[in-house]
Amino acid sequence: MKEELAPHVHDITRALGNKVSEQEIERELSSYLNVYRVSLDTAKRSIVKKHGGNPATLATGISKTLRELMPGEQSVNLLARIVSVNERDVTVEGGSKRILYGILGDPTTTIPFTAWEPLPVPLAKGDVVRVQNAYTKEYRGQVQVNFGIRTAVAKESPTALPEFKPGAGQPYVGKPTAVRVADLREGASNVAVTARILSVERREVEVDGAPKAVFSGILADETGKTQFSAWKDFSLKPDEVLRVEGAYVKTWRGIPQVSFDERATITRLKPDLLPPSERLNVSPRMWIEDLAERGGAADVTVRGILIDLREGSGLVYRCPECRRVLRKGACRLHGEVKGEPDLRVKAVLDDGSGALTAVFDRELTEGLLDKSLEACIAAAKEAMSTDVVRDELADILVAQPVEARGNVTSDDYGLMMIVESAKLLKVDVQAEAREMLEGLEGSA
Amino acid sequence: MIREVAWRLFASEYNDANLETEGTGERPPSYVVTPLGAKVNRVFVVGVITDVENVGTDGQPMWRARVSDPTGTFHVYAGQYQPEAASALSKLKPPVFGAIVGKSRIYSPQPGTTYTSIRPEVIKSVDESVRDYWILEACRSLQKRLDAMAEAQKMDPPTKEGLVKVGVKEAIADGIVQAVNHYGKVDLSRYLAMLAEGLRYLLPEYREPIAPGEPTVDTPRPIKQEPSREADESEGKVLEIIAALDADGKGAPWEGILETATTRGVSKDSLEESINALLDKGLIYEPILGRMKKI
């Protein structure tokens, strides 16, 4: 183990300008890997960040499996198979440009990719490529790999990678680590979770061109709720309490989620081991500073003030192909298209401890305005500008105390809540002030 | 770049600040650190906008607004680089309840003198309930800092790690340590009083009954030893006479005042007394010798 880690310990100390001793780095790295069981890459980055260094200066890249990729990674090395590849012309900053896009696969999963710059080698379906210095983004809940100007792509022998087989993977060795739902962190593997299933449904997804069933839903313990995905049919039922051993944690835009497959062991437990579903299925109220620390959470409630509307609130037009909001009539990926109208609000919700971007969909926005999309289009036509809709929303929303409930995700730009429901906050200010004053006088 | 949080804090605490620090990164944000350790880059304020005036020129307007809360006054400046906020300010008709989101600013014309102000991003008129909710939030925020500062004062010296250990959030702990290093040991009782004042402001049982039409000045009127209604009466009459005789705007001539006063039953003695009293109260003045003018 020690010899294996040595190059990485060197790499970390070098990235930190030799400020920290190798012994200390080795101890930390070993703790991250063996106690907290995060991936090597996550461990290296975390250690460098913790000591105030820049993780981008780490040199010894670790080839990741596609399933390990998170959104927002800056320097990713991969060995993957081209599952499909296509060409497309896009408009970028006024000019036209040819890009490649398609799907990458490895034994763990498949992921879409886009090559924004011409590649030195032609790519064809079935090729195995070694990719260095790619970066990842997230779009519509899925990680995407991007090849940019710094990315190197080289072909490898087709036998360098086994054919993609969904669900493949080696069984875990060693005892799983027991983790409570609130303590799930990205990158952890072989964990044991004791929880109640609150909901479960079967979905069909396409994995490498073949249909596959995934059983996903919500599970919870006393500390919180989380999404889960089971890649094997364990005949899970709502309300049952079980122990899942050998699960792993992925994040979807910052929200930790539990996944498990045929490597996991499921043990059914007594139903009264955990509080009933109604008690577990609440949306906990949280401070934004705590959400920022966790990186997001599923189904939480936040109270704060909508202090500003962001660009792109009100009446927007979306690309009919990818649903991106058009800028000046053009889609970032598909160029000039005929946009489809939609209503949305992107507002800054600030609770005094932190701020997040709250996104309200068409239905919620129509409710806030008490106006339909059609009425907004008509109003914008008459005023010859979509600003009227935005101004009306600003008038209703800005400076308003609200309570919003939804999923909170995170990326490089901070936290974002996809608002599920929201209401204007009515607080009995006098009662709360009286209580605080009594506390003050009592302690004086 | 994570968005800076908008602090809710009272004008009195904000205006006590004279420390400015910089963050890190490519474009380091600047912070105004208050004596209680609020490390403020952005503020959210709701108060009464009491006046708005253009302190720039017509060609390059710079709008200044005063926003008062239960403890003091914020100064808000919006110029050509805040076009939306400037235009919103110029259209307001004070007094009005206003919500302001803006960036903290500190200005030091000379060593030892500092002025804090706000450069607004968003300005909006709101109703009283939004203002009341803001006061409650400002009180809660103040309470948090008071508790954390009380912990810090028990430590020697206070450290970020020590504060985090007793449950203070890291973001607040950082500001507290900077504040202690700069301001030394601040007197918490002053801020406790501010907190109580803010809370009482929200409660009708502490509101002093104010008769309609009465001026709402805090200073009590000087109590006269002889509360004579006669004196008040003649003062009123004299004031009327002075106003009426001031035909050309240069003031009423003494002879005319005396003549008219006598016909209205005010003796020369009580006239002189009344004029002296009115001069004292600042209701009239003597622009040139022998003439009286109402202010």
Side-chain angles (χ1 to χ4, degrees):
Chain A
M1 190 70 174
K2 266 195 178 164
E3 288 82 65
E4 276 172 37
L5 286 183
H8 300 298
V9 172
H10 286 311
D11 191 25
I12 296 168
T13 22
R14 194 197 38 78
L16 289 170
N18 297 315
K19 276 188 308 188
V20 189
S21 76
E22 292 212 341
Q23 286 90 324
E24 188 176 343
I25 297 296
E26 191 181 323
R27 200 171 54 240
E28 284 189 13
L29 187 58
S30 148
S31 149
Y32 270 93
L33 295 175
N34 302 323
V35 182
Y36 296 100
R37 291 163 188 261
V38 301
S39 70
L40 182 60
D41 190 64
T42 307
K44 288 179 71 175
R45 285 171 168 274
S46 309
I47 293 169
V48 172
K49 258 195 215 165
K50 182 176 155 188
H51 292 286
N54 179 2
T57 57
L58 283 167
T60 318
I62 314 113
S63 272
K64 292 191 134 188
T65 63
L66 295 177
R67 190 156 78 180
E68 283 178 309
L69 293 178
M70 315 285 179
E73 293 192 58
Q74 289 306 317
S75 171
V76 175
N77 299 336
L78 301 165
L79 184 65
R81 188 180 300 277
I82 305 289
V83 175
S84 72
V85 58
N86 301 284
E87 279 182 349
R88 177 189 287 153
D89 289 320
V90 293
T91 314
V92 182
E93 282 157 15
S96 177
K97 185 171 179 177
R98 176 151 297 186
I99 61 163
L100 291 178
Y101 69 97
I103 293 174
L104 294 176
D106 75 0
T108 61
T109 190
T110 58
I111 265 182
F113 78 95
T114 305
W116 295 95
E117 301 296 331
L119 296 176
V121 287
L123 295 184
K125 185 176 170 181
D127 285 348
V128 172
V129 287
R130 184 169 297 280
V131 181
Q132 284 175 299
N133 258 332
Y135 60 99
T136 63
K137 290 220 160 152
E138 182 280 334
Y139 186 67
R140 297 178 79 80
Q142 194 174 21
V143 180
Q144 291 193 338
V145 176
N146 290 276
F147 302 169
I149 198 137
R150 296 187 303 121
T151 308
V153 179
K155 271 197 216 178
E156 295 273 329
S157 133
T159 54
L161 203 65
E163 283 291 323
F164 174 68
K165 283 190 209 73
Q170 295 304 304
Y172 291 108
V173 285
K175 200 170 171 297
T177 319
V179 179
R180 296 183 311 167
V181 170
D183 299 327
L184 293 168
R185 291 293 182 271
E186 71 171 68
S189 59
N190 198 15
V191 297
V193 177
T194 302
R196 188 186 290 280
I197 303 283
L198 297 184
S199 65
V200 57
E201 63 173 14
R202 183 196 152 99
R203 286 187 298 134
E204 289 281 337
V205 292
E206 201 164 289
V207 178
D208 197 27
K212 182 167 171 62
V214 54
F215 300 82
S216 60
I218 309 273
L219 57 75
D221 66 10
E222 290 104 327
T223 69
K225 294 194 283 193
T226 184
Q227 287 263 352
F228 73 87
S229 298
W231 293 92
K232 182 190 161 188
D233 189 357
F234 292 102
S235 26
L236 301 173
K237 304 255 175 336
D239 279 342
E240 65 182 350
V241 172
L242 39 87
R243 182 174 170 83
V244 184
E245 290 178 310
Y248 52 94
V249 184
K250 295 204 304 180
T251 55
W252 178 75
R253 302 187 56 178
I255 307 181
Q257 301 188 345
V258 184
S259 294
F260 42 98
D261 49 32
E262 69 279 351
R263 292 172 291 171
T265 319
I266 305 282
T267 318
R268 258 107 187 156
L269 303 170
K270 276 200 284 184
D272 58 357
L273 197 72
L274 284 171
S277 296
E278 313 85 78
R279 287 258 314 281
L280 295 174
N281 200 11
V282 291
S283 166
R285 193 181 150 205
M286 282 188 77
W287 288 100
I288 294 174
E289 61 187 345
D290 297 327
L291 287 168
E293 195 203 318
R294 279 185 65 182
D299 192 17
V300 288
T301 297
V302 170
R303 281 183 181 183
I305 310 256
L306 294 172
I307 60 172
D308 205 355
L309 288 194
R310 288 204 173 216
E311 195 76 6
S313 290
L315 182 56
V316 295
Y317 287 84
R318 289 185 186 277
C319 173
E321 272 191 68
C322 66
R323 307 298 297 161
R324 281 184 174 86
V325 168
L326 306 183
R327 306 258 161 175
K328 293 182 182 137
C331 168
R332 192 164 68 84
L333 217 58
H334 302 99
E336 289 210 8
V337 289
K338 185 166 168 16
E340 291 171 2
D342 193 10
L343 275 177
R344 68 151 179 205
V345 173
K346 283 176 87 174
V348 179
L349 179 61
D350 185 308
D351 70 355
S353 78
L356 55 76
T357 302
V359 181
F360 300 76
D361 67 5
R362 172 180 163 183
E363 199 181 326
L364 286 165
T365 309
E366 285 179 330
L368 291 166
L369 282 167
D370 198 17
K371 237 186 215 174
S372 69
L373 173 61
E374 289 68 34
C376 291
I377 295 172
K381 243 178 214 153
E382 198 183 308
M384 298 208 289
S385 162
T386 54
D387 289 352
V388 285
V389 181
R390 188 196 176 278
D391 291 349
E392 191 174 344
L393 280 165
D395 218 42
I396 296 169
L397 296 178
V398 171
Q400 277 305 321
V402 295
E403 182 175 284
R405 176 176 177 173
N407 292 339
V408 176
T409 63
S410 64
D411 61 17
D412 289 353
Y413 301 100
L415 296 168
M416 182 185 289
M417 173 184 266
I418 307 297
V419 180
E420 215 28 72
S421 64
K423 61 179 183 203
L424 294 185
L425 190 58
K426 292 275 169 263
V427 171
D428 187 345
V429 169
Q430 289 187 12
E432 301 217 8
R434 206 164 280 130
E435 192 183 321
M436 265 181 88
L437 191 61
E438 275 160 18
L440 208 60
E441 281 160 352
S443 70
Chain B
M1 268 290 277
I2 300 299
R3 189 185 158 94
E4 292 282 345
V5 66
W7 285 82
R8 284 74 151 151
L9 82 173
F10 285 124
S12 186
E13 182 186 344
Y14 185 59
N15 293 337
D16 282 348
N18 59 26
L19 172 62
E20 190 175 26
T21 64
E22 263 196 3
T24 52
E26 223 167 86
R27 286 169 53 199
S30 71
Y31 300 93
V32 170
V33 182
T34 71
L36 285 186
K39 204 174 148 192
V40 184
N41 171 270
R42 178 177 276 122
V43 280
F44 174 62
V45 166
V46 186
V48 183
I49 299 181
T50 53
D51 71 83
V52 178
E53 101 181 270
N54 181 4
V55 294
T57 60
D58 283 347
Q60 271 194 325
M62 169 64 78
W63 296 94
R64 180 182 67 192
R66 280 184 236 267
V67 184
S68 75
D69 75 5
T71 71
T73 305
F74 291 102
H75 294 90
V76 177
Y77 288 88
Q80 53 173 323
Y81 299 111
Q82 300 83 40
E84 281 183 28
S87 132
L89 264 188
S90 67
K91 285 177 199 140
L92 285 179
K93 300 256 179 296
V96 61
F97 291 116
I100 295 111
V101 179
K103 292 287 196 159
S104 62
R105 275 276 168 274
I106 202 157
Y107 169 61
S108 187
Q110 62 205 54
T113 322
T114 47
Y115 298 103
T116 47
S117 62
I118 298 172
R119 195 188 64 199
E121 298 168 316
V122 178
I123 291 185
K124 193 180 171 225
S125 71
V126 295
D127 62 26
E128 197 178 353
S129 69
V130 172
R131 197 278 309 262
D132 288 354
Y133 184 67
W134 178 84
I135 294 177
L136 183 67
E137 284 201 308
C139 286
R140 282 194 191 127
S141 172
L142 176 56
Q143 171 106 62
K144 255 194 234 167
R145 281 191 300 288
L146 272 168
D147 292 348
M149 190 52 97
E151 289 294 337
Q153 290 189 350
K154 286 182 212 157
M155 301 173 184
D156 186 32
T159 59
K160 210 169 132 179
E161 294 72 30
L163 286 165
V164 169
K165 215 175 271 172
V166 294
V168 177
K169 293 280 177 191
E170 207 170 307
I172 295 182
D174 188 39
I176 295 247
V177 172
Q178 289 185 11
V180 172
N181 289 341
H182 178 76
Y183 298 100
K185 190 173 178 180
V186 297
D187 177 16
L188 295 187
S189 64
R190 170 178 146 64
Y191 294 100
L192 263 173
M194 191 189 293
L195 173 57
E197 193 183 343
L199 291 169
R200 287 198 190 107
Y201 192 92
L202 293 171
L203 298 173
E205 58 264 38
Y206 293 99
R207 220 165 282 167
E208 294 206 2
I210 297 166
E214 289 256 330
T216 56
V217 279
D218 290 339
T219 43
R221 297 167 157 228
I223 299 157
K224 281 188 184 165
Q225 284 189 320
E226 251 187 313
S228 92
R229 292 189 57 171
E230 263 171 60
D232 280 350
E233 237 169 68
S234 75
E235 275 173 30
K237 274 185 197 164
V238 173
L239 204 55
E240 275 169 31
I241 293 164
I242 291 173
L245 291 181
D246 184 14
D248 53 2
K250 288 176 189 160
W254 170 247
E255 297 82 31
I257 300 170
L258 179 60
E259 201 180 312
T260 320
T262 322
T263 59
R264 291 183 61 178
V266 181
S267 69
K268 194 181 171 193
D269 279 355
S270 75
L271 172 66
E272 279 176 352
E273 227 172 76
S274 298
I275 289 209
N276 282 336
L278 288 169
L279 281 167
D280 281 350
K281 287 180 187 168
L283 294 173
I284 58 169
Y285 71 109
E286 208 169 354
I288 47 172
L289 204 63
R291 276 177 185 254
M292 292 296 158
K293 191 168 165 57
K294 194 179 163 192
I295 291 172

